[in-house]
Amino acid sequence: MGNAVMSVVAFFPSKSCQKLLLGGDIEEMPPDKMLDLSGKHLRKFPLQVCAFSQLLKLYLSNNNLSSLPAEIHLLGSLQILALDFNSFRELPRSVCRLRQLAILYLGNNSLCELPPELSSLAQLHTLWLESNCFEQLPTVLCQLRQLRVLHAGCNQLDSLPGQLEQLRQLHSIWIPDNLLSDFPQVLLHMPSLEIIDVDRNQIRSFPSLAHLPNLKLVIYDRNPCRNAPGVGEEVRRVGRWADYRPEPSAKPPADRMTEPVGESETAKSELTQH
């Protein structure tokens, strides 16, 4: 079916049209409690899905959705919800009533803020916000006490809120391709961090991160930095002078200052896949 025809069909909520569009019968609960409606050119959410109260995973990526019906809260068992690559300008508040959500994908939309009701998602441990329009990280995120992984790259962030240190479970923060001119000081007070990615920002100087006991990986490539972040012996660095570990109070040799920025893209890609 051509893209134009599929887009027209997506406007109609009738059962016959939805079956034609989705390529099958969605009247019965999938046996694995997972429903993938990604890339179906949907402009309206098919309401019959809300009858699957035991559904655990729902993928709606790569559609044309800009809203969701209030009835989506009936999916009270949902643990994974993918809304990335859509047309959302705001997060539907009905999503915040899905109290069992553990993983939420919101990347590649047009979001610039999040509703305060998001704090109701007490089980949320992984959140993807990359490629949106955030100029500030919403402070409501600091109330998600179980959050362990935060992806917020490709936005317009120039700082991080101090309240972020309340996230005592956060172990991975990915904030590449933003507008940071200084390394976020709040990250220095988060001992649970294992991965810090500040690639492609405007950071000119890095503090020592050697005091962070759980740190395993720091990605700081493609910053106009004058020094590498200090780290412990077992910590992997990706960026300028990544292999240089000075003695206390030593400065990088003059010839190091002229090295090209960053490691190879292959090395970077291998790291970010884990």
Side-chain angles (χ1 to χ4, degrees):
M1 183 182 296
N3 289 346
V5 176
M6 292 184 71
S7 297
V8 171
V9 173
F11 276 109
F12 298 90
S14 71
K15 186 178 299 185
S16 59
C17 285
Q18 289 290 352
K19 283 185 179 181
L20 177 63
L21 176 67
L22 302 178
D25 192 348
I26 60 171
E27 293 181 357
E28 297 181 1
M29 167 71 76
D32 56 0
K33 298 184 179 180
M34 186 272 285
L35 186 60
D36 189 353
L37 301 180
S38 300
K40 300 295 186 180
H41 300 269
L42 295 173
R43 293 181 182 270
K44 291 186 178 181
F45 180 77
L47 275 175
Q48 58 266 46
V49 173
C50 296
F52 303 154
S53 60
Q54 299 303 309
L55 198 66
L56 299 179
K57 304 174 184 179
L58 177 58
Y59 298 93
L60 295 167
S61 307
N62 195 23
N63 281 295
N64 298 306
L65 298 169
S66 59
S67 64
L68 293 174
E71 290 84 353
I72 199 171
H73 82 273
L74 297 173
L75 302 178
S77 299
L78 206 62
Q79 297 177 10
I80 299 177
L81 176 60
L83 299 176
D84 48 328
F85 292 94
N86 275 285
S87 302
F88 291 99
R89 293 184 176 274
E90 58 182 28
L91 179 66
R93 281 169 166 75
S94 53
V95 170
C96 301
R97 299 179 65 185
L98 300 171
R99 303 298 173 83
Q100 299 302 312
L101 269 187
I103 301 175
L104 179 58
Y105 296 93
L106 297 175
N108 290 273
N109 280 285
S110 299
L111 301 169
C112 59
E113 59 183 16
L114 294 172
E117 291 87 349
L118 190 74
S119 62
S120 300
L121 301 181
Q123 304 302 316
L124 196 68
H125 64 68
T126 301
L127 179 60
W128 293 70
L129 299 175
E130 78 283 1
S131 299
N132 276 285
C133 304
F134 293 103
E135 296 182 359
Q136 297 179 334
L137 203 62
T139 55
V140 66
L141 300 184
C142 303
Q143 301 178 45
L144 300 172
R145 300 304 174 87
Q146 298 302 313
L147 197 64
R148 300 200 294 270
V149 179
L150 176 60
H151 287 263
C154 301
N155 281 284
Q156 301 171 43
L157 305 176
D158 60 8
S159 64
L160 298 181
Q163 301 98 308
L164 199 68
E165 68 176 290
Q166 298 173 12
L167 300 180
R168 312 308 293 179
Q169 303 298 319
L170 193 69
H171 67 67
S172 299
I173 184 164
W174 306 79
I175 45 176
D177 203 2
N178 275 287
L179 302 176
L180 299 171
S181 57
D182 296 302
F183 184 83
Q185 292 295 301
V186 65
L187 301 184
L188 301 177
H189 306 289
M190 302 181 68
S192 61
L193 285 175
E194 298 179 7
I195 298 175
I196 299 174
D197 182 358
V198 290
D199 186 20
R200 299 192 306 277
N201 277 279
Q202 297 298 317
I203 301 173
R204 295 186 175 275
S205 179
F206 283 94
S208 174
L209 307 177
H211 66 287
L212 296 178
N214 295 298
L215 194 61
K216 297 177 181 176
L217 171 65
V218 182
I219 303 172
Y220 62 98
D221 205 6
R222 286 168 288 187
N223 279 277
C225 55
R226 303 180 68 87
N227 70 307
V231 295
E233 287 294 327
E234 302 300 321
V235 180
R236 178 74 185 277
R237 296 184 295 189
V238 178
R240 182 181 278 189
W241 314 298
D243 60 346
Y244 177 68
R245 295 180 185 272
E247 296 298 327
S249 75
K251 294 182 179 180
D255 60 344
R256 293 280 181 176
M257 301 298 289
T258 59
E259 288 184 4
V261 175
E263 294 186 357
S264 70
E265 287 299 318
T266 301
K268 171 72 180 300
S269 118
E270 288 175 354
L271 283 168
T272 54
Q273 287 174 4
H274 296 287

